[in-house]
Amino acid sequence: MAALVFGALAGCSDASGDAAAPTAEPTHKAAAPVRLPVPDGFDTETGWSTTASPEATDLQPGSSGFPLVAVAPRSSLVVQAAADGSRVRAFSLAGGKTVWTFTPKALKSARTGVFVEAGKGGEKVVLARHGKTSGSGLNTSRRTTTIDVIAADSSAKATAEHHLDLTEPDDTASSFTATDSGFLVGPVTDGVHEQAVVIDAATGAQRTVRAKTVTVPGCGSGSCTVQASPAFATSQGVVSAFQQQDGCDQWAQGGTPCAYGFQVGDVWTSTSVAPSGMRVGIPLAVTGQYIVAAWHTSDTQTDQPSLSDTKKTTLAVHDLATGKIKAQVRCTSADALTLQPGSAQSSTRLSPNGDFLISGQAGFDLSTGHGHCFTSTPSTKGIVLTAVSDDGTAYGIVHAVDQTEATSLYGRLPIAQDGTDTPERDSARVSVRTGTAKALPTAAEVPVYLAADGHGVFRARDVVAVYPAS
């Protein structure tokens, strides 16, 4: 089962108007829960909650941002980092007991993200921080990125299995790009890196990857040479995106379409596994043993691919190791959403039993190979899905377009931002089995993770709450 990292809705008002204040510093077990307004099926009288800081915004679309809460599903933990990166706490998902705490070396002006990676060595918690060293004594203060890797099955006072200190030039703004099986650090533009550092959470090893020239098959009548840029890392290697520049019709005027695709490590290339007639493939996200991609027949060189109402987009779930298509669906959207490498990573999840997969505004039944679109039409709004259960019931946020770059990206969830003026968002419950959708009551929060036993994890602007099934 894939580990999860998420953004979330704003707002944490109690529907009854008499919510108890969350515990600020739990020592053994989090307090009786704040009663968030949630969908029926969750018992808000029991469970637990704790305060959580709002999250910082990363200005680079395509990065993973700075999430302060993550779930380690195999270990049944909710992991929370302080906004300044001064501490990490791991809570028992079901009971709220503090399982372990970790205190890293101090950084000034730190921007912090916490992530969970899963691999052969078990689940690892990755604390990633941008900040400045103290500059004490004879040492001058400098910018740095630090990575601390903690075993999810730690106990009491946890220690880092690996600590990395990556010095940053003053003119470079690095971002974190995380999947549940890989981690990149480096500047990102339109979802890709010219250069990045790959972190192996299991061993602590780091290596630099760069955009490089590769030869790929399936370009028109033969192979072509392209520039492939790293997008994100996975258990099968770094996924790199490319776009053919020569020997093709760059303006989509009836000639041989240009290939726009991706390569998964040295294992396979999208042009070899594309759905029939598709020349454009965008890697949207990875979860577990699957990679989700968007496909078009062709696109012009000047415009980024988008999910719109002018052409149908095939959204497909591929086996990460082989590229074989496991499920697919064709969708349109009235919102004209940009399809970018990694743009749906924050909204891509597997159900605990692995039968269902959600990604952006689509849901897939992996047992049948079929999918359903929850995208907008001229008369209905799109739904960005956040969590899915073992029976295919999923929850999501109604997509709101506000002309910002973040909301124009397909599959990107809003983060738990600071500020009382952050608008509440409508939400919905859907069936991935049937494709039906139903609006939830106004201001209802939706779970960002659903456990096999029915517990739901909810993340509002300043609280994390976990409720059992009722």
Side-chain angles (χ1 to χ4, degrees), residues 72-133:
R74 295 180 187 176
S75 307
S76 296
L77 297 177
V78 175
V79 183
Q80 179 190 32
D84 63 1
S86 61
R87 184 172 65 168
V88 179
R89 295 180 295 181
F91 300 94
S92 165
L93 191 151
K97 179 182 178 181
T98 301
V99 177
W100 53 260
T101 61
F102 170 71
T103 303
K105 183 178 179 180
L107 281 183
K108 297 192 303 180
S109 305
R111 303 182 80 196
T112 303
V114 66
F115 309 87
V116 175
E117 307 281 314
K120 293 180 180 179
E123 286 183 317
K124 307 295 183 182
V125 175
V126 178
L127 175 67
R129 298 177 295 163
H130 294 311
K132 292 183 178 180
T133 59

Side-chain angles (χ1 to χ4, degrees), residues 128-389:
R129 298 177 295 163
H130 294 311
K132 292 183 178 180
T133 59
S134 63
S136 59
L138 297 177
N139 297 318
T140 59
S141 178
R142 59 179 175 83
R143 289 180 58 187
T144 186
T145 294
T146 63
I147 308 292
D148 289 283
V149 180
I150 310 104
D153 61 1
S154 296
S155 58
K157 296 294 184 181
T159 58
E161 292 185 333
H162 309 290
H163 173 82
L164 304 175
D165 189 339
L166 310 175
T167 301
E168 288 189 1
D170 288 338
D171 59 350
T172 301
S174 291
S175 296
F176 305 131
T177 305
T179 69
D180 56 17
S181 59
F183 198 84
L184 290 181
V185 181
V188 60
T189 302
D190 295 333
V192 297
H193 304 257
E194 284 301 305
Q195 177 175 310
V197 177
V198 182
I199 306 297
D200 186 329
T203 65
Q206 57 176 295
R207 63 185 177 93
T208 299
V209 292
R210 298 176 175 85
K212 62 181 180 179
T213 300
V214 298
T215 299
V216 299
C219 302
S221 59
S223 299
C224 61
T225 300
V226 297
Q227 187 85 349
S229 299
F232 47 84
T234 76
S235 60
Q236 296 295 322
V238 173
V239 174
S240 299
F242 61 79
Q243 187 172 12
Q244 183 183 4
Q245 301 287 341
D246 301 313
C248 59
D249 179 7
Q250 298 187 31
W251 314 111
Q253 294 179 337
T256 301
C258 295
Y260 186 134
F262 58 95
Q263 191 170 44
V264 178
D266 297 321
V267 183
W268 56 274
T269 302
S270 61
T271 52
S272 300
V273 302
S276 178
M278 300 293 171
R279 298 280 187 172
V280 176
I282 304 97
L284 299 176
V286 168
T287 182
Q289 60 184 332
Y290 304 105
I291 182 169
V292 181
W295 294 94
H296 286 165
T297 54
S298 65
D299 277 302
T300 67
Q301 293 280 345
T302 55
D303 299 323
Q304 283 193 299
S306 65
L307 178 62
S308 66
D309 57 5
T310 59
K311 66 171 68 176
K312 285 194 173 182
T313 298
T314 296
L315 298 171
V317 179
H318 298 258
D319 185 294
L320 180 60
T322 67
K324 182 179 179 181
I325 295 176
K326 297 295 185 179
Q328 60 183 307
V329 65
R330 298 185 73 190
C331 301
T332 60
S333 171
D335 290 333
L337 302 170
T338 300
L339 298 166
Q340 182 174 284
S343 63
Q345 188 61 51
S346 66
S347 60
T348 299
R349 317 264 193 270
L350 278 168
S351 61
N353 62 7
D355 288 348
F356 300 94
L357 185 151
I358 57 171
S359 183
Q361 299 182 28
F364 302 89
D365 184 338
L366 299 178
S367 65
T368 66
H370 296 147
H372 292 284
C373 308
F374 300 98
T375 49
S376 63
T377 70
S379 60
T380 61
K381 299 176 182 178
I383 304 166
V384 185
L385 302 177
T386 62
V388 60
S389 69

Side-chain angles (χ1 to χ4, degrees), residues 41-42 46-48 92-95 352 447 449-458 466-469:
F42 298 97
T46 58
W48 60 274
S92 165
L93 191 151
Y449 176 74
L450 291 168
D453 63 4
H455 278 81
V457 179
F458 295 81
V466 179
Y467 305 123

